[in-house]
């Protein structure tokens, strides 16, 4: 087995395992969420097969496609969201992982068409701003991918609420994108609950800047093998 | 053992196993939900026994009844909702599976007597429309079955919110009906949460039509052994 | 070992096991719920020890008290709610099991001081009416027990929302009381969620009467070993 | 191994195990919560490492720091909240355990900047008052610790809602602080849910005083090895 094949096999195992995190943190119902990873240094990505229950996922069932979404290796159809993942990888070279979910609180904000205001320090840390709303877009062509990239390019937030649809998150690798998806639902819930109590003040911009800067820099320098969350 | 008996045994195992999905996805409390399946090509159905805890269900405890709800095989009484399931099978020959739950968010919409507006793409995919409210009906005769059929016949939605009662879903088989029940609660929750944030716009009818058409046709042709959910 | 001792041992095992249902259905936090059972034909009851984590409960840790709450057998203090349980057994001879929880939705109704309106058929079945609010009462004497009995005696509901405190449920045995506690939280949640959508109409009294009558009688005659919940 | 080393090893095992309670009771997402314990009689504390997933925590991964937060023993960076924990131990000698979470309902109250009113008897027991809001403070110096101590010193409540951030709880040991964190989220949820139903009356001050006094004294004398929660 070549080194390249070994690297892809390791990525298949990682992407497969990360789907369990979507279940664990309550982000998905039935088969409605997916994780992908870019194959470093190659025009390829690894993504969930379409319509396979999470408990039946194994590394072998993962699909390898090129960055146009064409299947290179795999026995199933790739996720129906493959075109959106591929568009992100083509247009954001710094992105190594993409996650899509319909997690309930975040999707509720997307259905209301309202950004999640940066009202708690955990949002300052991870998102550095409000979590933005992207355009409504239908599946079937590049529209969803374009909407993700247009919203997230140059934005601090690794998460976008696609209007009337759900969440896409990005990261330097698949694990970081999964973490962003978990944190997005967590803060979407907390700020939603706060809104039921009354008006929720956004943090001061200066405080948000300091939180985000410290989180990106102090954490990153300490330990590049883990992704902390304020703990 | 005859081929017919083997087919019924397989169906008993499948219906039994699908009840675990009701627990897994939080659709039921105590014993308050049930799954049934039509025996293909025969005037029979397999359904949950009445009042047996989910953890005590085994394939052998499943009940076989005719399509009037009379027990043909089984050691317990069939579910108290048997008449409603049977009515659906008698009047909707395309239906191969029926599920009933009191899942909390969907039942909340039924208690408020309000359809769930088709406000997110996952609803366009799976339900193709708002999830409709059926009439209030008492248990004990054909009223519930009539209400289900009157509401769902000719409707795209495989789910009906029976007013002041709970949810019934249908599918080409029991698994598809269970999936519809899981997705019904998922979208009932998401749209409920969105409503707390402000007015929730329905998707455009043209977009709903496109989503539903694509979901039914593109998915269906790719792989008939799985039932995808936008993933 | 005498027959009486064997009966008490069996009851200890049952009461111990039923506490797992409080955890399973999300009714309790830390150690904040308890189950008891009357010893049939004797002036004794079996109840949870005080302050012991649920995972450390074994049949041997269960406490036997008389119906004044004095310990007859056991190595720990009995639950701090023992006086309330004992009062119920002394004054409601038909009661064989009592459960107390602070389950979140039901306790929210108790904090708001509002009965849960009988708005869904599952409430008609199990409770036969609104779930009533009992008086505010402090722990330490017979006040809580008196409030429970004054509210539930002659009422169809096996559950009372003690104002600003939590839920007490009763049953012919401990399992029935646990079932009432599970169903109480389930309907408290559903009707709470419905209220967020708009006004929630109570079912017609005549319909409630029919539901409750059928549930008590048709179910009861079919199978006395199980307690169905509309399934 | 010296007696002191044995004591620290036992504390590492206990602090490690208590993190599982944060997961079990739904208080944390990803790695966003931490537990610490003072080493009795020494100017040391044991705390979670930074950014390590809960399932990878072992006693050996726990970090020992002095009460300025400088690492004395351990292979990882200590939690990014170490400065806040250390400040509490330096300034509140009666405190033996500290917990920090972003548990969703409690953090929602903190984002709204509103104390949780003492509206249920479980709050009178455990908190003896409203759960107070502390100041907004940025991570990186002593501000968070100062805010915790300024709010909790002389207050009955072992929990403070740090504005726009999350919860810190204290206790005589780490287990008591974890219990306070679990109960804080439980009552934060219940009172939040009650608020959706209408105005929620605070309990009378005299009743709160009686509840808290009884809980602290009657429970404490009965059994010092357990920490009851009204059960």
């Amino acid at each position: 087995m070549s080194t390249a094949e070994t690297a892809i096999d390791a990525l298949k195992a990682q992407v497969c395992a990360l789907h369990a995190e979507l279940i664990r943190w309550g982000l998905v119902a039935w088969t409605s969420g997916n994780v992908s990873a870019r194959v470093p240094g190659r025009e390829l990505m690894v993504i969930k097969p379409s319509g396979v229950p999470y408990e039946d996922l194994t590394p072998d069932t993962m699909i390898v496609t090129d960055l146009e979404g064409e299947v290179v290796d795999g026995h199933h159809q790739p996720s129906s969201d493959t075109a959106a993942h591929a568009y992100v990888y083509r247009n954001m070279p710094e992105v190594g992982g993409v996650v899509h979910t319909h997690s309930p609180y975040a999707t509720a904000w997307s259905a209301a068409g309202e950004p999640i205001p940066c009202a708690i320090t955990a949002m300052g840390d991870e998102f550095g701003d409000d979590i933005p709303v992207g355009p409504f877009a239908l599946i079937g062509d590049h529209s969803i991918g374009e909407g993700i990239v247009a919203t997230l390019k140059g934005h601090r937030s690794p998460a976008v609420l696609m209007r009337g649809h759900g969440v896409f998150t990005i990261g330097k690798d698949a694990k970081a994108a999964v973490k962003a998806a978990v944190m997005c639902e967590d803060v979407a819930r907390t700020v939603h609950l706060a809104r039921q109590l009354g008006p929720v003040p956004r943090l001061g911009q200066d405080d948000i800047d300091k939180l985000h800067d410290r989180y990106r820099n102090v954490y990153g320098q300490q330990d590049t093998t883990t992704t902390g969350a304020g703990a």
Side-chain angles (χ1 to χ4, degrees), chain A:
Chain A
M1 188 179 285
S2 74
T3 305
E5 280 167 339
T6 305
I8 288 178
D9 283 347
L11 218 46
K12 283 182 178 178
Q14 186 194 21
V15 170
C16 178
L18 284 167
H19 284 88
E21 299 291 315
L22 306 187
I23 290 282
R24 178 186 182 193
W25 299 106
L27 306 191
V28 291
W30 208 251
T31 62
S32 66
N34 41 70
V35 179
S36 72
R38 183 198 293 271
V39 181
R42 299 184 65 184
E43 297 289 301
L44 298 173
M45 65 187 225
V46 174
I47 193 164
K48 178 179 178 291
S50 177
V52 177
Y54 293 110
E55 65 271 23
D56 294 344
L57 294 179
T58 61
D60 280 351
T61 60
M62 296 296 114
I63 312 298
V64 181
T65 75
D66 64 24
L67 296 191
E68 298 292 336
E70 294 301 313
V71 175
V72 170
D73 173 32
H75 306 300
H76 294 78
Q77 296 287 333
S79 164
S80 59
D81 297 301
T82 296
H85 291 249
Y87 190 95
V88 173
Y89 291 122
R90 286 204 306 279
N91 289 279
M92 298 183 84
E94 71 279 20
V95 170
V98 176
V99 172
H100 174 48
T101 80
H102 301 159
S103 67
Y105 281 93
T107 302
W109 287 92
S110 90
E114 195 179 336
I116 307 175
C118 188
I120 50 178
T121 55
M123 284 192 73
D125 287 346
E126 176 76 22
F127 301 97
D129 201 340
D130 303 345
I131 298 179
V133 175
F136 179 80
L138 286 183
I139 199 166
D141 59 17
H142 297 164
S143 306
I144 293 176
E146 284 174 355
I148 298 167
V149 171
T151 310
L152 293 186
K153 209 158 198 172
H155 202 291
R156 287 172 176 173
S157 170
V160 54
L161 310 170
M162 292 299 284
R163 189 183 293 264
H165 180 180
V167 181
F168 281 86
T169 61
I170 57 176
K172 68 179 197 296
D173 54 26
K175 187 180 175 189
V178 169
K179 183 197 169 194
V182 172
M183 297 308 292
C184 179
E185 179 65 5
D186 189 54
V187 303
R189 178 170 58 167
T190 297
V191 181
H192 185 284
L193 294 173
R195 274 273 290 262
Q196 310 311 307
L197 294 170
V200 178
R202 192 174 187 269
L203 301 185
Q205 187 61 47
D206 192 49
D207 291 330
I208 294 172
D209 292 346
K210 284 179 186 159
L211 286 164
H212 189 65
D213 182 63
R214 185 181 187 283
Y215 190 70
R216 286 290 126 189
N217 295 304
V218 179
Y219 271 109
Q221 291 169 7
Q222 287 179 347
D223 182 350
T224 58
T225 65
T226 59
T227 47

